[in-house]
Amino acid sequence: DFGTLNTYITRVQSFLQAGKPDNDILLYYPISDEYAVRGKSMLLHFDGAAKGSSVRKSAEYLFGKGYAFDYISDRQIAQLETKSGKIQTGGVNYQTVLLPPVKLMPLETFEKVMDLAKNGATVLMEELPQDVPGLGKLAERQIKLKTLKNSLNLVKQAGSTVQKAKVGKGQILVGNLSELLSQAKIRHEIMAERGLQCIRRVDGDNTTYFIANRGAEIIDGMVTVETKI
């Protein structure tokens, strides 16, 4: 059966390698937080978000609820652009940037996030960053970060834990992750609630889904997708 399996894989990959990702969230990877964790090993091996880290918890929640996301680094955030309320990178449009609970964040990254909002983007933060990494000009950078955070006129939304600040043409929302996603109206694939997983790609006007049932239970019935077809 090996030839049949290879034929199936070839066909699937012909679709999954075409077009571009159709993900909605750019999830910030707070590498400075992981660098700051003291450990016994000489060299820390990164094979994904560390167990127990804030970004891993956020990623697992997004994955489990059917939200499509990509990780993004400090260097990549510096290259982001905002157009018509969408965040653009690599020719792909995203709905938002999401910051998990962050302790240490480079000043330049926070400044860029603020600029994205000023130009019309929606930025989601589970918490505001607490401090900046590194010792060079530390006091100066700490003051600038504090000034930027204080400039946010956060207003608590009625019946919610979420606080909202209007920033230029866009907005920054701070609060509980599930409520943030709801208020920002980020789409998610409800098939995840039935134990199904999917990858979504867009190629021109066509959207392709690869759907997998990795569970032990058979799912017999209609499956709703969150794309207009």
Side-chain angles (χ1 to χ4, degrees), residues 42-69:
M42 293 290 289
L43 178 65
L44 182 62
H45 177 66
F46 289 96
D47 58 354
K51 291 183 179 180
S53 67
S54 63
V55 68
R56 184 174 184 130
K57 293 177 182 178
S58 298
E60 289 177 343
Y61 179 87
L62 295 174
F63 186 77
K65 295 295 183 180
Y67 289 94
F69 68 94

Side-chain angles (χ1 to χ4, degrees), residues 14 17 31 40 43 57 68 77 86 143 149 161 167 206 209:
S14 71
Q17 292 178 14
I31 191 66
K40 296 180 180 179
L43 178 65
K57 293 177 182 178
I77 283 180
K86 298 292 185 180
I143 291 173
K149 292 195 295 183
T161 64
V167 181
N206 300 317
Y209 277 79

Side-chain angles (χ1 to χ4, degrees), residues 47 83 98 108 150 167 189 199-200 210:
D47 58 354
K83 186 176 181 180
L98 170 62
E108 297 80 8
N150 290 340
V167 181
E189 299 291 345
I199 296 174
R200 197 172 59 222
F210 176 73

